[in-house]
Amino acid sequence: MARKNLLADLIEGGHSSLAGEAAAAAPEQRVPTLGSRGAVGAMSRSLEQLSAERDAAKVLSERLVSGQDVVEIDADLVDDSIIPDRMKGSDANFASFKESIRTRGQLVPALLRPHPTQPGRYQTAYGHRRVQALRELGRPVRAVVQDLSDDELVVAQGKENGEREDLSFIERARYATLLEDRNFKRDTIMAALSVDKTELSRLISIYRAIPAELSDAIGPAPKVGRRRWLEFVEHLGDRKPAKTLEALLGNPKFLAGSSDDRFRMALSILTAREGKTAKATVWTANDGKRIAKIDRSPSRFILSVDEKAAPSFGDFVLDRLPDLYEAFRKSKEGA
DNA sequence: AGCTAAGCATTAGCTAAGTG
DNA sequence: CACTTAGCTAATGCTTAGCT
């Protein structure tokens, strides 16, 4: 519970006056029209960016208020975090982000710590994209510098991603696994990713079950969540992925598609080989009505009755379930 | 064609039970 | 005790069908 409300606490705690304003203004927020669609659409992206930066500012505000000065540091002296969190090709908006930094300057400071082994250098805890953009622009980084332990660094980095919620499932799984490989405690990883132990366990086991070449080839797949990655791993099984990989990497369609598309293709190759992966089927009665849908899996048989096509048929079946089951048992005994 | 509501699929967070 | 597995479900996103 505390974990779930972490973000809310941060925002409300630090900016209760803001929240109050928002609540007071709410009744008047029903603006009838906002001009033409085109104008609104063009604005939305920069608005998103603005709000993302404001959110980041809220999280940093505590540190700023606590008497930390913002200093300017040569971007070339700033290294990335000890653990990379993003996969290749996951940041499509970087160019426009960089452009906004170029035109408007760096609105929100980054959070750095002194490099543990190289005096005079720094490591990024929070604000990787800003640092990267400023590095490319050849500008100094405005930053708060604090002595942070490895744990604190990793948790701060996780917050950055959590704020924007822009790490996909597999990226979080990868990040969690990298952290574990670096011997971070489960508690720390849980804090860094804002997940519970259940989810953390799944993240790590799923990522470890997929050969790195395969997950790298697929990429971040932002629209694919736990459920389908789990399905992916189940179908992968003990099978040698070499053939799957070969089939995929040799396919120009695979390489041309989006990361989500690549995931879909990879999954369909895995499931196709399985032969009998029955998809949901519809049972049609003699009168032509599509009465029920059947979903099969190794562990389930789901029968759903269409209440519109056959009102109260479900109850009818339910009433007779005991008799049906009895008949079923007898038929088994006989066999 | 454009809009809306309904239906369906998916994600992600939770509890409970199992395992070593 | 620390972690894993299974299963449920609210919230969200997407698709489809029906309406104006």
Side-chain angles (χ1 to χ4, degrees):
Chain A
M1 180 133 87
R3 187 185 57 65
K4 195 182 176 186
N5 291 329
L6 205 105
L7 177 57
D9 290 345
L10 273 167
I11 291 169
E12 283 167 21
H15 293 260
S16 49
S17 62
L18 259 183
E21 275 172 37
E28 269 138 48
Q29 274 179 350
R30 287 168 175 264
V31 181
T33 47
L34 268 174
S36 76
R37 293 200 138 259
V40 174
M43 276 178 71
S44 67
R45 185 167 299 167
S46 59
L47 282 175
E48 267 170 34
Q49 260 170 22
L50 270 175
S51 76
E53 295 197 356
R54 258 202 308 272
D55 288 346
K58 282 170 188 163
V59 176
L60 270 178
S61 62
E62 259 180 57
R63 296 183 187 278
L64 293 174
V65 167
S66 67
Q68 291 286 333
D69 288 330
V70 177
V71 295
E72 292 207 341
I73 292 168
D74 184 344
D76 286 330
L77 294 175
V78 182
D79 296 325
D80 290 337
S81 169
I82 45 178
I83 311 278
D85 51 11
R86 285 169 189 286
M87 296 173 91
K88 266 191 180 175
S90 69
D91 198 354
N93 301 325
F94 183 74
S96 65
F97 177 74
K98 182 175 157 188
E99 179 58 18
S100 95
I101 294 256
R102 196 183 68 75
T103 54
R104 290 186 313 188
Q106 179 191 356
L107 299 180
V108 180
L111 177 63
L112 310 179
R113 75 166 180 181
H115 199 291
T117 56
Q118 298 177 40
R121 298 193 66 81
Y122 300 87
Q123 282 181 328
T124 311
Y126 195 118
H128 286 79
R129 296 170 89 226
R130 267 161 271 164
V131 170
Q132 177 65 27
L134 290 160
R135 201 184 283 143
E136 290 178 17
L137 292 166
R139 292 197 196 166
V141 178
R142 295 180 58 234
V144 174
V145 179
Q146 278 198 340
D147 268 317
L148 298 171
S149 66
D150 285 356
D151 282 1
E152 287 169 332
L153 177 82
V154 159
V155 170
Q157 183 182 354
K159 288 262 179 60
E160 173 184 20
N161 294 316
E163 286 300 301
R164 296 199 309 267
E165 292 177 10
D166 60 2
L167 281 191
S168 68
F169 178 84
I170 201 67
E171 281 180 308
R172 285 185 292 129
R174 175 172 166 277
Y175 186 48
T177 308
L178 289 175
L179 290 176
E180 190 176 63
D181 288 345
R182 286 283 205 119
N183 297 320
F184 282 96
K185 293 216 177 88
R186 289 262 168 154
D187 285 346
T188 307
I189 310 177
M190 280 160 60
L193 284 163
S194 288
V195 295
D196 58 24
K197 59 183 175 147
T198 305
E199 182 68 356
L200 178 57
S201 170
R202 259 188 300 226
L203 285 169
I204 291 172
S205 69
I206 287 177
Y207 189 75
R208 291 206 192 285
I210 304 169
E213 314 88 69
L214 193 49
S215 50
D216 285 351
I218 291 170
K223 292 195 175 164
V224 181
R226 177 178 82 202
R227 179 175 146 147
R228 282 189 291 163
W229 277 109
L230 195 58
E231 190 186 348
F232 187 89
V233 165
E234 279 164 6
H235 286 295
L236 197 58
D238 299 328
R239 180 187 300 126
K240 289 239 171 74
K243 281 185 183 171
T244 314
L245 252 178
E246 244 173 71
L248 286 171
L249 294 178
N251 187 337
K253 258 174 112 184
F254 177 77
L255 298 169
S258 70
S259 183
D260 287 316
D261 291 339
R262 290 198 293 275
F263 174 86
R264 266 190 288 275
M265 286 186 66
L267 181 60
S268 74
I269 284 181
L270 289 176
T271 51
R273 285 197 196 161
E274 214 131 286
K276 47 180 177 183
T277 354
K279 264 279 159 195
T281 53
V282 174
W283 181 75
T284 310
N286 288 336
D287 59 9
K289 284 182 181 164
R290 296 153 70 88
I291 305 294
K293 198 176 78 177
I294 298 146
D295 284 285
R296 284 173 192 272
S297 77
S299 60
R300 284 159 188 275
F301 181 101
I302 303 169
L303 180 71
S304 42
V305 174
D306 187 330
E307 281 284 2
K308 277 189 184 161
S312 70
F313 178 58
D315 289 325
F316 180 86
V317 172
L318 198 57
D319 280 344
R320 280 155 182 76
L321 220 44
D323 292 341
L324 279 171
Y325 184 67
E326 195 56 33
F328 164 76
R329 275 197 348 167
K330 285 197 173 137
S331 76
K332 283 282 175 184
E333 278 168 24

